[in-house]
Every structure is written in C-alpha cells, then in structure tokens.
Amino acid sequence: MSGLYLRLSVDDSVEPAAIPSRNKARSAILQALTVATPRSPDAGRMAEISLAFVSNAEITQLNAHYRQQEKPTNCLSFPQDPLPPVFRRDLLGDIVIAPAVVLQEAAEQGKTLLNHYRHLLIHSTLHLLGYDHVADHEAQIMEQLETRLLAEMGVADPYLNQIHE
C-alpha cells in the first residue's frame, strides 16, 4: 500500500486538545493498513478513509440507529461496500470517534490519551478491513493482531487487566 488519503472532520463541540494530531491519527491508521486482507489496498494504491470526531449526542444517535444501543460509544466503523477504485483510491469506509468517551476511558483505564487513540484507530481500521469480534475466535484473532500492531508502535497490550463486556 502506498499511502492514505484521510478525510478528517471535527464537530464544533469537540475541543481540539481532546483529539490526536492528523499525523498521529494517520500513523495509527497506516499501521493497521500493513495487514494483508482481501480488503487491503494493493501495493501502489491509496486507501481512503473518512475520520470524524463527534459529540456524545451524535455518536449516541449513530449507535442507536446502527447497533440498537442508545448510549454513547468510543468509536464506530462503517466499511464501504467494495467498489471499483476511484482516482486510484480504495474507499475503505468511515471511522467515527467520540472524544469525550475516549477521554473518560483513558482516565479510567490508566492509559495515555494518545495510546488509547492509537488502539481505537487500529481497531476501527481493522473493522474496515473486514475483521470483527462478534464470535470469541474472531475476537481472539483481532485482539492478538491489535496487540502486535500496537507493540510495533511501542504501545503496551491494551487488553491487559481489562474486563471484557
């Protein structure tokens, strides 16, 4: 994969200090794109991802509509249906993140905000590449992959000492 076209949007209610820089977000997404899957862009192609930082109210609406859970969540991924590439870009999908939830989780879990964002961006990008964690065996594969990709970035295992829902 040769690069990433990242469309970034930030809701007016989101404090800029509560989100990672464009370069930090890009770095975590690119780390996840090193994984070879049928949905991964071919060598020499660009991936396109939309990344939106939204309010708790907006992510609650999305979570209720798409997951039937009327509560805020940290992130949601919306994979693009496979289409022929446009302008030499593979359209992978959208990632939506609620910074207020991420801030709270990082504090509760004793993680740095940046490392928690790295984890969520890798996690969300893997969803765009076709990974899931509905079944236990899928969750184990995805968690091991996330842990490896994060370790390559110098980030500790995000699943240590964490209770799974």
Side-chain angles (χ1 to χ4, degrees), residues 17-86:
I19 63 174
S21 71
R22 181 183 201 86
N23 286 341
K24 299 278 188 204
R26 179 183 190 80
S27 174
I29 292 169
L30 284 169
Q31 179 72 0
L33 290 176
T34 64
V35 175
T37 72
R39 295 244 5 203
S40 297
D42 296 329
R45 297 189 69 87
M46 294 278 289
E48 182 173 346
I49 293 175
S50 172
L51 173 60
F53 293 97
V54 301
S55 67
N56 276 8
E58 187 169 351
I59 206 144
T60 297
Q61 270 187 312
L62 291 168
N63 204 23
H65 182 77
Y66 291 101
R67 297 178 63 224
Q68 291 69 54
Q69 295 184 19
E70 294 214 25
K71 63 180 183 177
T73 187
N74 53 20
C75 61
L76 294 169
S77 300
F78 298 97
Q80 174 73 37
D81 291 331
L83 296 172
V86 178

Coordinates of all heavy atoms in Angstrom, one line a residue, residues 17-86:
A17 N -7.8 20.0 21.6 CA -6.8 19.3 22.5 C -7.3 17.9 22.9 O -6.4 17.1 23.4 CB -6.6 20.2 23.8
A18 N -8.5 17.6 22.6 CA -9.0 16.2 23.0 C -8.8 15.2 21.9 O -9.2 14.0 22.1 CB -10.5 16.3 23.3
I19 N -8.2 15.6 20.8 CA -8.1 14.6 19.7 C -6.6 14.6 19.3 O -5.8 15.5 19.5 CB -9.0 15.0 18.5 CG1 -8.6 16.4 17.9 CG2 -10.4 14.9 18.9 CD1 -9.3 16.7 16.6
P20 N -6.2 13.5 18.7 CA -4.8 13.4 18.2 C -4.6 14.3 17.0 O -5.5 14.6 16.3 CB -4.6 11.9 17.9 CG -6.0 11.4 17.5 CD -6.9 12.3 18.4
S21 N -3.3 14.6 16.8 CA -3.0 15.4 15.6 C -3.3 14.5 14.4 O -3.4 13.3 14.4 CB -1.5 15.8 15.6 OG -0.7 14.6 15.4
R22 N -3.4 15.2 13.2 CA -3.7 14.5 12.0 C -2.6 13.5 11.7 O -2.8 12.3 11.3 CB -3.8 15.5 10.8 CG -4.0 14.9 9.5 CD -4.0 16.0 8.4 NE -4.7 15.5 7.2 CZ -6.0 15.6 7.0 NH1 -6.8 16.1 7.9 NH2 -6.5 15.1 5.9
N23 N -1.3 13.9 12.0 CA -0.2 12.9 11.8 C -0.2 11.7 12.7 O 0.1 10.6 12.2 CB 1.1 13.7 11.9 CG 1.4 14.6 10.7 OD1 0.8 14.4 9.6 ND2 2.3 15.5 10.9
K24 N -0.6 11.9 13.9 CA -0.7 10.8 14.9 C -1.8 9.8 14.5 O -1.6 8.6 14.5 CB -0.9 11.3 16.3 CG 0.2 12.2 16.8 CD 1.4 11.4 17.4 CE 2.3 12.4 18.1 NZ 3.6 11.9 18.1
A25 N -2.9 10.4 14.1 CA -4.1 9.6 13.7 C -3.7 8.8 12.4 O -3.9 7.6 12.3 CB -5.3 10.4 13.4
R26 N -3.1 9.5 11.5 CA -2.6 8.9 10.2 C -1.6 7.7 10.5 O -1.7 6.7 9.8 CB -2.0 10.0 9.4 CG -1.5 9.5 8.0 CD -0.8 10.8 7.3 NE -0.5 10.4 6.0 CZ -1.4 10.4 5.0 NH1 -2.6 10.8 5.2 NH2 -1.0 10.1 3.8
S27 N -0.7 7.9 11.4 CA 0.3 6.9 11.7 C -0.4 5.6 12.2 O 0.0 4.5 11.8 CB 1.3 7.5 12.7 OG 2.1 6.5 13.2
A28 N -1.3 5.8 13.1 CA -2.0 4.6 13.6 C -2.8 3.8 12.5 O -2.8 2.6 12.5 CB -2.9 5.0 14.8
I29 N -3.5 4.6 11.7 CA -4.3 4.0 10.6 C -3.4 3.3 9.6 O -3.6 2.2 9.2 CB -5.2 5.1 9.9 CG1 -6.3 5.5 10.9 CG2 -5.7 4.5 8.6 CD1 -7.0 6.8 10.4
L30 N -2.3 3.9 9.3 CA -1.3 3.3 8.4 C -0.7 2.0 9.0 O -0.5 1.0 8.3 CB -0.2 4.3 8.0 CG -0.5 5.4 7.0 CD1 0.6 6.4 6.9 CD2 -0.8 4.7 5.6
Q31 N -0.5 2.0 10.3 CA 0.0 0.8 11.0 C -1.0 -0.3 10.7 O -0.6 -1.5 10.4 CB 0.2 1.1 12.5 CG 0.7 -0.1 13.3 CD 2.1 -0.5 13.0 OE1 2.8 0.1 12.2 NE2 2.6 -1.5 13.6
A32 N -2.3 -0.1 10.9 CA -3.3 -1.1 10.7 C -3.4 -1.5 9.2 O -3.6 -2.7 8.9 CB -4.7 -0.6 11.1
L33 N -3.1 -0.6 8.3 CA -3.2 -1.0 6.9 C -2.0 -1.8 6.4 O -2.0 -2.3 5.3 CB -3.2 0.3 6.0 CG -4.5 1.1 6.1 CD1 -4.4 2.4 5.3 CD2 -5.7 0.3 5.7
T34 N -1.0 -2.1 7.3 CA 0.0 -3.0 6.9 C -0.5 -4.5 6.9 O 0.2 -5.4 6.4 CB 1.2 -2.9 7.9 OG1 0.8 -3.3 9.2 CG2 1.8 -1.5 7.9
V35 N -1.6 -4.7 7.5 CA -2.2 -6.1 7.5 C -2.8 -6.4 6.1 O -3.5 -5.6 5.5 CB -3.3 -6.1 8.6 CG1 -4.0 -7.5 8.5 CG2 -2.8 -5.8 9.9
A36 N -2.4 -7.6 5.6 CA -2.9 -8.0 4.3 C -4.2 -8.7 4.5 O -4.3 -9.7 5.2 CB -1.9 -8.9 3.6
T37 N -5.2 -8.2 3.8 CA -6.6 -8.8 3.8 C -7.1 -8.6 2.4 O -6.6 -7.8 1.6 CB -7.5 -8.1 4.8 OG1 -7.9 -6.8 4.3 CG2 -6.9 -8.0 6.2
P38 N -8.2 -9.3 2.1 CA -8.8 -9.1 0.8 C -9.3 -7.7 0.6 O -9.4 -7.2 -0.6 CB -10.0 -10.1 0.8 CG -9.7 -11.1 1.7 CD -8.8 -10.4 2.8
R39 N -9.5 -6.9 1.6 CA -10.0 -5.5 1.5 C -8.8 -4.6 1.6 O -9.0 -3.4 1.4 CB -11.0 -5.2 2.7 CG -12.2 -5.9 2.6 CD -13.5 -5.2 2.4 NE -13.3 -3.7 2.2 CZ -14.1 -2.8 2.4 NH1 -15.3 -3.1 2.9 NH2 -13.9 -1.6 2.1
S40 N -7.6 -5.0 1.8 CA -6.5 -4.1 1.9 C -6.1 -3.6 0.5 O -6.2 -4.3 -0.5 CB -5.2 -4.8 2.4 OG -5.4 -5.3 3.7
P41 N -5.7 -2.3 0.4 CA -5.3 -1.8 -0.9 C -4.1 -2.5 -1.4 O -3.3 -3.0 -0.7 CB -5.0 -0.3 -0.6 CG -5.7 0.0 0.7 CD -5.7 -1.3 1.5
D42 N -4.1 -2.7 -2.7 CA -2.9 -3.3 -3.4 C -1.7 -2.4 -3.3 O -1.9 -1.2 -3.1 CB -3.2 -3.6 -4.9 CG -4.3 -4.6 -5.1 OD1 -4.5 -5.5 -4.2 OD2 -5.0 -4.5 -6.1
A43 N -0.5 -3.0 -3.4 CA 0.7 -2.2 -3.4 C 0.6 -1.1 -4.5 O 0.1 -1.4 -5.6 CB 1.9 -3.1 -3.6
G44 N 1.0 0.1 -4.1 CA 1.0 1.2 -5.1 C -0.4 1.9 -5.1 O -0.5 2.9 -5.9
R45 N -1.3 1.5 -4.4 CA -2.6 2.1 -4.4 C -2.8 2.9 -3.1 O -2.2 2.6 -2.1 CB -3.8 1.1 -4.5 CG -3.7 0.4 -5.8 CD -4.9 -0.5 -6.0 NE -6.1 0.4 -6.2 CZ -6.5 0.8 -7.4 NH1 -5.8 0.6 -8.4 NH2 -7.5 1.6 -7.5
M46 N -3.7 3.9 -3.1 CA -4.0 4.7 -2.0 C -5.3 4.1 -1.3 O -6.2 3.7 -2.0 CB -4.3 6.1 -2.4 CG -3.1 6.9 -2.9 SD -2.1 7.5 -1.7 CE -3.1 8.9 -1.0
A47 N -5.3 4.2 0.0 CA -6.6 3.9 0.7 C -7.2 5.2 1.1 O -6.5 6.2 1.3 CB -6.3 3.1 2.0
E48 N -8.5 5.3 1.1 CA -9.2 6.5 1.5 C -10.1 6.1 2.7 O -10.9 5.2 2.6 CB -10.1 7.1 0.4 CG -10.8 8.3 0.8 CD -11.5 9.0 -0.4 OE1 -11.2 8.6 -1.6 OE2 -12.3 9.9 -0.1
I49 N -10.0 6.9 3.8 CA -10.8 6.7 5.0 C -11.3 8.1 5.4 O -10.5 9.1 5.4 CB -10.0 6.1 6.1 CG1 -9.6 4.6 5.7 CG2 -10.7 6.1 7.4 CD1 -8.7 3.9 6.7
S50 N -12.5 8.1 5.9 CA -13.1 9.4 6.5 C -13.0 9.2 8.0 O -13.5 8.1 8.5 CB -14.5 9.6 6.0 OG -15.1 10.6 6.7
L51 N -12.5 10.1 8.7 CA -12.3 10.1 10.2 C -13.1 11.3 10.7 O -12.7 12.4 10.4 CB -10.9 10.1 10.6 CG -10.5 10.2 12.1 CD1 -11.1 9.0 12.8 CD2 -9.0 10.2 12.3
A52 N -14.1 11.0 11.6 CA -14.9 12.1 12.2 C -14.8 12.0 13.7 O -15.0 10.9 14.3 CB -16.3 12.0 11.7
F53 N -14.6 13.1 14.3 CA -14.6 13.3 15.7 C -15.9 14.0 16.1 O -16.1 15.2 15.6 CB -13.4 14.0 16.3 CG -12.1 13.3 16.1 CD1 -11.3 13.6 15.0 CD2 -11.7 12.3 17.0 CE1 -10.1 12.9 14.8 CE2 -10.5 11.6 16.8 CZ -9.7 11.9 15.7
V54 N -16.8 13.4 16.8 CA -18.1 13.9 17.0 C -18.5 14.0 18.5 O -17.8 13.4 19.4 CB -19.2 13.0 16.3 CG1 -18.9 12.9 14.8 CG2 -19.2 11.6 16.9
S55 N -19.6 14.6 18.8 CA -20.1 14.8 20.1 C -20.7 13.5 20.6 O -21.0 12.6 19.8 CB -21.2 15.9 20.1 OG -22.3 15.4 19.4
N56 N -20.9 13.4 21.9 CA -21.6 12.2 22.5 C -23.0 12.1 22.0 O -23.5 11.0 21.7 CB -21.6 12.3 24.0 CG -20.3 11.8 24.7 OD1 -19.4 11.5 24.0 ND2 -20.3 11.7 26.0
A57 N -23.7 13.2 21.8 CA -25.0 13.1 21.2 C -25.1 12.5 19.8 O -25.9 11.7 19.6 CB -25.6 14.5 21.2
E58 N -24.1 12.9 19.0 CA -24.1 12.3 17.6 C -23.7 10.9 17.6 O -24.4 10.1 16.9 CB -23.1 13.1 16.7 CG -23.2 12.7 15.3 CD -22.5 13.6 14.3 OE1 -22.1 14.7 14.7 OE2 -22.4 13.2 13.2
I59 N -22.8 10.5 18.4 CA -22.4 9.0 18.4 C -23.5 8.2 19.1 O -23.7 7.1 18.7 CB -21.0 8.8 19.0 CG1 -20.4 7.5 18.4 CG2 -21.0 8.7 20.6 CD1 -19.0 7.4 18.2
T60 N -24.2 8.8 20.0 CA -25.3 8.0 20.6 C -26.4 7.8 19.6 O -27.0 6.7 19.5 CB -25.9 8.8 21.8 OG1 -24.9 9.0 22.8 CG2 -27.1 8.1 22.4
Q61 N -26.7 8.8 18.7 CA -27.7 8.6 17.6 C -27.2 7.5 16.7 O -28.0 6.7 16.3 CB -27.8 9.9 16.9 CG -28.9 10.8 17.4 CD -29.0 12.0 16.4 OE1 -28.0 12.6 16.0 NE2 -30.3 12.3 16.0
L62 N -26.0 7.6 16.3 CA -25.4 6.6 15.3 C -25.5 5.2 16.0 O -25.8 4.2 15.3 CB -24.0 6.9 14.9 CG -23.9 8.2 14.0 CD1 -22.4 8.6 13.9 CD2 -24.5 7.9 12.7
N63 N -25.1 5.1 17.2 CA -25.1 3.8 17.9 C -26.5 3.2 18.0 O -26.7 2.0 17.9 CB -24.4 4.0 19.3 CG -23.8 2.7 19.9 OD1 -23.5 1.8 19.1 ND2 -23.7 2.7 21.2
A64 N -27.4 4.1 18.3 CA -28.8 3.6 18.4 C -29.4 3.2 17.1 O -30.0 2.1 17.0 CB -29.7 4.8 19.0
H65 N -29.0 3.9 16.0 CA -29.5 3.6 14.7 C -28.9 2.3 14.1 O -29.6 1.5 13.6 CB -29.3 4.8 13.7 CG -29.8 4.5 12.4 ND1 -31.2 4.6 12.1 CD2 -29.2 4.2 11.2 CE1 -31.4 4.3 10.8 NE2 -30.2 4.1 10.2
Y66 N -27.6 2.2 14.2 CA -26.9 1.1 13.6 C -26.7 -0.1 14.5 O -26.5 -1.2 14.0 CB -25.6 1.6 13.0 CG -25.8 2.5 11.8 CD1 -25.6 3.9 12.0 CD2 -26.1 2.0 10.6 CE1 -25.9 4.7 10.9 CE2 -26.3 2.9 9.5 CZ -26.2 4.2 9.7 OH -26.4 5.1 8.7
R67 N -26.6 0.1 15.8 CA -26.4 -1.1 16.7 C -27.5 -1.3 17.7 O -27.3 -2.1 18.6 CB -25.0 -0.8 17.4 CG -23.9 -0.8 16.4 CD -22.5 -0.5 17.1 NE -22.2 -1.6 18.0 CZ -21.7 -1.3 19.3 NH1 -21.5 -0.1 19.7 NH2 -21.4 -2.3 20.1
Q68 N -28.5 -0.5 17.7 CA -29.7 -0.6 18.6 C -29.2 -0.5 20.0 O -29.8 -1.1 20.9 CB -30.5 -1.9 18.4 CG -31.2 -1.9 17.0 CD -30.3 -2.0 15.8 OE1 -29.5 -2.9 15.8 NE2 -30.4 -1.2 14.9
Q69 N -28.2 0.4 20.3 CA -27.8 0.6 21.7 C -27.8 2.1 21.9 O -27.0 2.9 21.3 CB -26.3 0.1 21.8 CG -26.2 -1.4 21.7 CD -24.8 -1.9 22.0 OE1 -24.0 -1.2 22.6 NE2 -24.5 -3.1 21.5
E70 N -28.8 2.6 22.7 CA -29.0 4.0 23.0 C -28.0 4.5 24.0 O -28.5 4.9 25.1 CB -30.4 4.3 23.3 CG -31.3 4.0 22.1 CD -32.5 4.9 22.0 OE1 -32.5 6.0 22.6 OE2 -33.5 4.5 21.4
K71 N -26.8 4.6 23.7 CA -25.7 5.1 24.6 C -24.5 5.5 23.8 O -24.3 5.0 22.7 CB -25.3 4.0 25.7 CG -24.7 2.8 25.1 CD -24.3 1.8 26.1 CE -23.7 0.6 25.5 NZ -23.2 -0.4 26.5
P72 N -23.7 6.4 24.3 CA -22.5 6.7 23.6 C -21.5 5.6 23.6 O -21.5 4.7 24.5 CB -21.9 7.9 24.4 CG -22.5 7.9 25.7 CD -23.8 7.1 25.6
T73 N -20.7 5.5 22.6 CA -19.6 4.5 22.5 C -18.4 5.2 22.1 O -18.4 6.4 21.6 CB -20.0 3.4 21.5 OG1 -19.0 2.3 21.6 CG2 -20.2 3.9 20.1
N74 N -17.2 4.6 22.2 CA -16.0 5.3 21.9 C -15.8 5.5 20.4 O -15.4 6.5 19.9 CB -14.8 4.6 22.5 CG -14.7 3.1 22.2 OD1 -15.3 2.6 21.2 ND2 -14.0 2.4 23.0
C75 N -16.1 4.4 19.6 CA -15.9 4.5 18.1 C -16.8 3.6 17.4 O -17.3 2.6 17.9 CB -14.4 4.2 17.8 SG -13.9 2.6 18.2
L76 N -17.1 3.9 16.2 CA -17.9 3.1 15.2 C -17.2 3.1 13.9 O -16.5 4.1 13.5 CB -19.3 3.7 15.0 CG -20.2 3.7 16.3 CD1 -21.5 4.5 16.0 CD2 -20.6 2.3 16.6
S77 N -17.2 2.0 13.2 CA -16.6 1.8 11.9 C -17.7 1.4 10.9 O -18.6 0.6 11.2 CB -15.6 0.7 11.9 OG -14.6 1.0 12.8
F78 N -17.6 2.1 9.7 CA -18.6 1.8 8.7 C -17.9 1.5 7.4 O -17.5 2.3 6.6 CB -19.5 3.0 8.5 CG -20.3 3.4 9.7 CD1 -19.9 4.4 10.5 CD2 -21.5 2.8 10.0 CE1 -20.6 4.8 11.7 CE2 -22.2 3.1 11.1 CZ -21.8 4.1 11.9
P79 N -17.6 0.2 7.2 CA -16.9 -0.2 6.0 C -17.7 0.1 4.7 O -18.9 0.0 4.7 CB -16.8 -1.8 6.1 CG -17.0 -2.1 7.5 CD -18.0 -1.0 8.0
Q80 N -17.0 0.6 3.7 CA -17.6 0.9 2.4 C -17.8 -0.4 1.7 O -16.9 -1.3 1.7 CB -16.6 1.8 1.6 CG -17.0 2.0 0.2 CD -18.2 3.0 0.1 OE1 -18.3 3.9 0.9 NE2 -19.0 2.8 -0.8
D81 N -18.9 -0.6 1.0 CA -19.1 -1.7 0.2 C -18.0 -1.7 -0.9 O -17.7 -0.6 -1.4 CB -20.5 -1.7 -0.5 CG -21.6 -1.9 0.5 OD1 -21.4 -2.6 1.5 OD2 -22.7 -1.4 0.2
P82 N -17.4 -2.9 -1.2 CA -16.4 -2.9 -2.2 C -16.9 -2.3 -3.5 O -17.9 -2.7 -4.1 CB -16.0 -4.4 -2.3 CG -16.5 -5.0 -1.1 CD -17.7 -4.2 -0.6
L83 N -16.2 -1.4 -4.0 CA -16.4 -0.7 -5.3 C -15.2 -0.6 -6.1 O -14.1 -0.7 -5.6 CB -16.9 0.7 -5.0 CG -18.2 0.9 -4.3 CD1 -18.4 2.4 -4.0 CD2 -19.4 0.4 -5.1
P84 N -15.3 -0.5 -7.4 CA -14.1 -0.2 -8.2 C -13.4 1.0 -7.7 O -14.1 2.0 -7.3 CB -14.6 0.0 -9.6 CG -16.0 -0.6 -9.6 CD -16.5 -0.5 -8.2
P85 N -12.1 1.0 -7.6 CA -11.4 2.2 -7.0 C -11.6 3.5 -7.9 O -11.8 3.4 -9.1 CB -9.9 1.8 -7.1 CG -9.8 0.5 -7.6 CD -11.2 0.0 -7.9
V86 N -11.7 4.6 -7.2 CA -11.9 5.9 -7.9 C -10.6 6.7 -7.7 O -10.1 6.7 -6.6 CB -13.1 6.6 -7.2 CG1 -13.2 8.0 -7.9 CG2 -14.4 5.8 -7.3

